[in-house]
Amino acid sequence: MATARDTAGPGPDRTVLVTGGAGFIGSALCRHLIRGGHTRVINLDKLTYAGSLTALAEVESSPRYRFVQGDIADRSLVAALLRDESIDAVMHLAAESHVDRSIDGPAIFIETNITGTFHLLEAALDHWRSLEGEARARFRFHHISTDEVFGDLPFDDSRFSEESPYRPSSPYSASKAAADHLVRAWHHTYGLPVVLSNCSNNYGPYQNAEKLIPLTITRAMRGETLPVYGNGANVRDWLHVDDHARALETIMRNGAPGASYAVGAREEHSNIAVVAAICDLLDERAPLVSVRSRRDLIRFVTDRPGHDRRYAIDPAKIERELGWQSEIRFTPGLAATIDWYLREAASAVQPPGTFLRA
Ligand code: NAD
């Protein structure tokens, strides 16, 4: 929902440094901000295995968009960008984000998510201190975090909120929790105007094929077996990435300094229900001759160590205070995502391998 402040005056009213803008959520955020017309975007991304410029083709020729390949921990590069581009807000999404990879190799998660965030905070603090008047009042450092920092929930009606205690379970969620603590400390100790958001699992176009929904869609499209951890009972609260991008802009523009916001769609589904829904939607759209139903391809595999049972978000605060609400329900959002993968696979310009790495 656009607010009066969102739409003040023609042309860009802010320049935002988006870190990790070549990732799944970051690229959706860049597309959203450029489409909106009110924001200049400087996208700083290291282009790790998780980053791709393909998802940014729509914005790359906009005069309000610039891509810079680089590391958030490169203090002199970040300082130059903050100064030379007159940055009004940092939206920090760059991270190592895959839980399974954090179990196999946690070191890079500590380096990027904790040390990288520290370097970015220091550069942002120097920049903010150099600003005066309106520019100083407008500046925000927005840390994009996860609901996984709160640990897991039992199978009841409890939900995470901004007040939930931190109980991270995996190296990934522990590193994001540490980053949240650093961001809050830079606010309390140095006065840096920060905002934080903790969101639930995202889905939508251009997600890396290691994650549950794209992995299942792409394997099911090819008629391959569909691995599901444990007994598939783990529950996640699914948020469409475009809904999330709108929430992030709202928080960056209107969030109160020092505040955090829990972002979710009230769409809780077990992993097995998600996989079954993908099977049924694909059977309708692209039936296979080799199998009667893609549900027959489901295979339960050894569970992930320390696999959290359930995540669920209570988004009442962002709904009440900032007027944001999720608009994309899960079933139509999932169907649209499947249609996107089918179009990508059918397109000669965009061969399936680009986002369908399994
Ligand atoms: P992603 O893994 O798809 O993208 C991360 C991006 O960061 C990549 O483009 C990568 O190249 C870049 N990057 C990594 N290290 C970097 C560095 N040192 N310097 C600059 N760039 C670097 O992640 P995503 O799914 O888009 O998630 C974005 C953010 O949202 C992350 O901080 C993640 O913790 C958080 N989050 C994600 C989800 C989700 O469901 N995907 C849910 C909650 C929170």
Side-chain angles (χ1 to χ4, degrees):
M1 184 192 314
T3 68
R5 263 194 291 169
D6 284 342
T7 51
D13 62 3
R14 275 177 181 69
T15 301
V16 173
L17 179 67
V18 173
T19 73
F24 167 49
I25 300 172
S27 60
L29 176 65
C30 291
R31 296 192 300 272
H32 168 80
L33 292 174
I34 294 299
R35 279 179 203 154
H38 308 294
T39 313
R40 273 184 75 230
V41 173
I42 312 300
N43 174 3
L44 173 66
D45 196 296
K46 191 176 172 184
L47 293 182
T48 68
Y49 78 95
S52 167
L53 297 179
T54 310
L56 295 157
E58 174 188 321
V59 298
E60 67 190 5
S61 60
S62 167
R64 288 182 290 106
Y65 175 79
R66 178 183 168 201
F67 175 72
V68 178
Q69 183 169 4
D71 194 320
I72 52 167
D74 182 342
R75 194 85 76 84
S76 57
L77 169 67
V78 174
L81 287 175
L82 291 167
R83 181 188 63 237
D84 299 346
E85 298 287 357
S86 304
I87 296 295
D88 297 297
V90 176
M91 299 182 80
H92 176 33
L93 296 95
E96 289 293 329
S97 72
H98 290 210
V99 176
D100 288 333
R101 283 178 180 253
S102 83
I103 295 167
D104 295 342
I108 186 68
F109 286 72
I110 307 305
E111 196 179 307
T112 300
N113 299 359
I114 305 178
T115 310
T117 299
F118 160 72
H119 286 299
L120 198 62
L121 280 166
E122 285 286 85
L125 181 62
D126 284 348
H127 174 66
W128 175 68
R129 283 175 167 161
S130 75
L131 300 174
E132 289 172 4
E134 258 193 54
R136 189 178 167 99
R138 192 166 54 224
F139 186 81
R140 293 287 181 277
F141 184 100
H142 181 176
H143 185 231
I144 286 77
S145 188
T146 167
D147 60 357
E148 300 191 30
V149 298
F150 304 127
D152 77 340
L153 292 168
F155 293 112
D156 59 15
D157 58 0
S158 55
R159 290 188 287 168
F160 297 132
S161 75
E162 296 76 8
E163 309 307 322
S164 297
Y166 276 56
R167 290 199 187 99
S169 313
S170 70
Y172 162 67
S173 54
S175 69
K176 293 294 290 188
D180 281 7
H181 293 322
L182 290 177
V183 170
R184 283 202 179 85
W186 260 243
H187 175 66
H188 289 292
T189 306
Y190 306 112
L192 185 69
V194 307
V195 282
L196 295 91
S197 51
N198 298 85
C199 75
S200 54
N201 283 47
N202 283 219
Y203 70 100
Y206 296 109
Q207 187 166 23
N208 188 285
E210 291 177 359
K211 299 284 180 103
L212 176 70
I213 288 182
L215 178 80
T216 304
I217 294 173
T218 55
R219 290 184 68 88
M221 276 166 52
R222 299 191 289 247
E224 295 170 2
T225 55
L226 305 175
V228 175
Y229 277 136
N231 61 4
N234 305 66
V235 168
R236 301 293 181 258
D237 185 349
W238 290 97
L239 174 68
H240 194 280
V241 71
D242 292 342
D243 265 348
H244 189 200
R246 272 192 313 109
L248 294 179
E249 180 177 18
T250 303
I251 294 164
M252 179 272 288
R253 287 177 176 273
N254 302 331
S260 71
Y261 299 89
V263 186
R266 304 178 197 273
E267 284 280 11
E268 287 184 52
H269 302 277
S270 67
N271 288 350
I272 188 64
V274 170
V275 172
I278 292 170
C279 290
D280 297 347
L281 287 162
L282 262 176
D283 284 345
E284 280 166 32
R285 287 162 166 73
L288 286 173
V289 280
S290 51
V291 288
R292 185 185 55 84
S293 157
R294 283 179 170 87
R295 289 186 184 223
D296 296 342
L297 300 169
I298 295 172
R299 302 284 182 275
F300 294 102
V301 298
T302 309
D303 210 351
R304 166 194 284 166
H307 200 178
D308 288 336
R309 288 163 296 179
R310 176 173 165 261
Y311 306 136
I313 286 270
D314 176 4
K317 179 179 174 184
I318 185 171
E319 291 172 348
R320 191 178 60 245
E321 294 188 6
L322 302 184
W324 173 89
Q325 267 195 325
S326 158
E327 289 175 356
I328 304 174
R329 302 306 343 135
F330 183 66
T331 303
L334 184 62
T337 304
I338 289 172
D339 289 339
W340 182 86
Y341 278 96
L342 288 170
R343 280 196 305 278
E344 289 297 298
S347 151
V349 184
Q350 170 67 285
T354 311
F355 281 95
L356 310 190
R357 299 187 295 268

